[in-house]
Amino acid sequence: MPERCHGAVILLLFGMCVNALGAFVGVNLGTDVSNLPSASGIVAILKTHRITHLRLYNADSQLLKALANSSIEVIVGVTNEEVLRIGESPAAAAAWVNKNIAAYLPGTNITAIAVGSEVLTAIPHVGPVLVPAMYSLHKALVAANLNDLIKVSTPQSMDLIPRPFPPSTATFNASWNSTISQLLQFLKNTKSYYMLNAYPYYGYTTENGIFPLDYALFRSLPAVKQIVDPNTLFHYNSMFDAMVDATYYSIDAFKFSGIPIVVTETGWPWFGGANEPDATIQNAGTYISNLIRRVSNDSGPPSQPTTPINTYLYELFNEDKRPGPISEKNWGILFPNGSAVYPLGLISGRSTGNSSAVYCVVKDGADEDKLEDGLNWACGQGGANCAAIQRARPCFLPNNITNHASYAYNDYYQKSRSAGGTCDFDGTAMLTTIDPSHGSCIFTGSANSRGGGGFSPEAAMGPSGLLPGASSKLQVSSFQLLILFIFSWALMF
């Protein structure tokens, strides 16, 4: 196993914001672990890291008991081995709900049932009974008066979409048209959501260099390498966004709308074999931190900009007992003792003196017309203090739209984020942990700032076209908890 990296690290800080309606990041818990902690130990680890959303692959009775009164929102899994029996027998579905859901309520905060795992691609022979199983489980919830509290869905792989790029032409595998149509109708009827397992790691490693690694890791691309859908001219800043959008377009091809997508699995392995050179601790840390930052901005992919992407990381611990290549055993973000795989407590790069600092700045390659609109809004209706970017003031130079917009965006964000303000500005802004201050120009929120950085209680909401604070929010949970940030590697590898 590689030594832990000490030069650049992630601070695993899962913040909890009660009553926030923004996107969240949760975590999957697999149990093929040699030294798996006890159920109570796992819950203690989750609480220590303030992880508020958990997906289980089965209905583990010890865990469900231990999660009682923790407020952690739980997705309970129906195993692939159980799907066939439940799909063929409504009585079996009712018994499963009574034993694995109702028995733990109201103490354990169960919010969804995930029926199988990638059933249509992993065990296609069970596909014909997948939707009947979902209907039977939903009917059992209705009978128990639990259907408003607990949604039913089924996680599916990106493999169900044979050609995901360009997203605008993506469609589901036609051989599953009947089943997918039934599935989407079920989700629409029950006001549930589509569960997607999206792995840019595999999208990158299996495409033989078609897409750059930076694209898979959420890193900025130079203008000449921007990934653009030729039909919509939407720019995709990450493979993750393109995968989610490909799924939205695939759903749209069936004439369904209003079905949100929740990413139930995504991650990056941090160690692999000799033939898996991209499974490194640096890449894993970069992917996870950039993913958290991306989800935290509360925006959706280009085709659905106001629909946040609630996401579950794969996974809490390394599952060293899993078969397959070395990388398959090394996706965990924590060790079983609760310490982070990516070392904690140090942020390298420009020292801010403030380990919790995060800034809103202009994205590379952002459209200048949109930047001008965003700058004008931030300095006007948004309430940002833009005195520092006026002529002869500390942040006037360099005298360009990118510098001025970054300062205004950040001032708006620092003052409004506690009240729901976001960092989007019509897709021209991004969050960073690198202090953008330079010379005598000190950005609001910097450890060196004497006059800014505080949060005002007022919410400065942006117009719907700019989306700094007016995004519609996907309400999957009953407690509306928000994971704020994992602070990223500041060194760019």
Side-chain angles (χ1 to χ4, degrees), residues 148-163:
D148 288 334
L149 299 174
I150 300 171
K151 298 301 179 183
V152 178
S153 189
T154 177
Q156 296 302 327
S157 165
M158 278 300 299
D159 291 341
L160 200 57
I161 303 173
R163 289 179 291 277

Side-chain angles (χ1 to χ4, degrees), residues 38 62 119 122 128 197 253 256 276 335 386 401 434 484:
S38 65
Q62 294 302 312
V119 168
N197 293 350
F256 284 93
E276 299 173 301
F335 292 109
C386 297
I401 188 69
I434 301 174
L484 297 177

Side-chain angles (χ1 to χ4, degrees), residues 59-254:
D60 185 287
S61 61
Q62 294 302 312
L63 273 169
L64 289 170
K65 290 176 183 176
L67 286 161
N69 304 312
S70 68
S71 295
I72 295 171
E73 300 195 15
V74 184
I75 296 177
V76 179
V78 174
T79 67
N80 282 354
E81 292 75 19
E82 295 173 309
V83 174
L84 183 61
R85 177 172 57 88
I86 290 174
E88 293 177 339
S89 170
W96 191 95
V97 167
N98 288 332
K99 177 183 177 182
N100 299 308
I101 302 297
Y104 301 101
L105 301 174
T108 302
N109 187 19
I110 300 171
T111 59
I113 299 171
V115 184
S117 179
E118 303 182 352
V119 168
L120 299 184
T121 51
I123 48 171
H125 67 282
V126 179
V129 301
L130 174 61
V131 178
M134 297 171 70
Y135 270 107
S136 292
L137 290 166
H138 177 71
K139 289 177 181 177
L141 292 173
V142 171
N145 200 29
L146 297 173
N147 56 297
D148 288 334
L149 299 174
I150 300 171
K151 298 301 179 183
V152 178
S153 189
T154 177
Q156 296 302 327
S157 165
M158 278 300 299
D159 291 341
L160 200 57
I161 303 173
R163 289 179 291 277
F165 194 87
S168 61
T169 61
T171 57
F172 291 115
N173 186 326
S175 65
W176 287 109
N177 277 358
S178 176
T179 298
I180 291 170
S181 179
Q182 295 171 44
L183 168 61
L184 296 177
Q185 189 65 63
F186 171 84
L187 299 178
K188 186 72 173 180
N189 290 347
T190 62
K191 299 180 181 179
S192 187
Y193 46 90
Y194 187 95
M195 292 180 170
L196 172 67
N197 293 350
Y199 286 98
Y201 171 75
Y202 291 123
Y204 170 72
T205 58
T206 60
E207 290 296 334
N208 300 315
I210 293 177
F211 296 106
L213 178 61
D214 285 347
Y215 178 58
L217 295 176
F218 297 89
R219 289 178 181 155
S220 298
L221 296 174
V224 294
K225 293 185 178 180
Q226 293 287 310
I227 307 299
V228 180
D229 187 311
N231 302 307
T232 62
L233 300 183
F234 284 146
H235 287 241
Y236 287 89
N237 296 318
S238 71
M239 188 179 293
F240 176 84
D241 278 78
M243 287 179 165
V244 174
D245 236 1
T247 308
Y248 272 119
Y249 279 108
S250 297
I251 293 172
D252 183 69
F254 277 81

Side-chain angles (χ1 to χ4, degrees), residues 24 47 68 106 144 225 238 255 292 344 388 402 436:
F24 64 76
K47 288 181 176 180
K225 293 185 178 180
S238 71
K255 308 302 181 185
I292 298 289
L344 307 181
T402 297

Side-chain angles (χ1 to χ4, degrees), residues 10 23 25 217-220 240-241 285-299 313 347 357-361 363 413 422-423 429-434 483-492:
I10 289 178
V25 176
L217 295 176
F218 297 89
R219 289 178 181 155
S220 298
F240 176 84
D241 278 78
T286 298
Y287 180 81
I288 294 297
S289 60
N290 287 341
L291 169 74
I292 298 289
R293 189 165 59 225
R294 189 267 169 264
V295 172
S296 296
N297 73 18
D298 276 357
S299 65
L313 301 179
I347 295 180
V358 63
Y359 308 90
C360 180
V361 298
K363 285 181 180 177
Y413 176 72
T422 61
C423 177
M430 61 176 282
L431 293 171
T432 180
T433 58
I434 301 174
I483 288 180
L484 297 177
F485 304 105
I486 291 180
F487 294 99
S488 71
W489 306 80
L491 291 178
M492 299 306 291

Side-chain angles (χ1 to χ4, degrees), residues 298-316:
D298 276 357
S299 65
S303 79
Q304 307 286 329
T306 63
T307 305
I309 310 172
N310 290 333
T311 299
Y312 290 79
L313 301 179
Y314 184 84
E315 58 185 327
L316 190 61

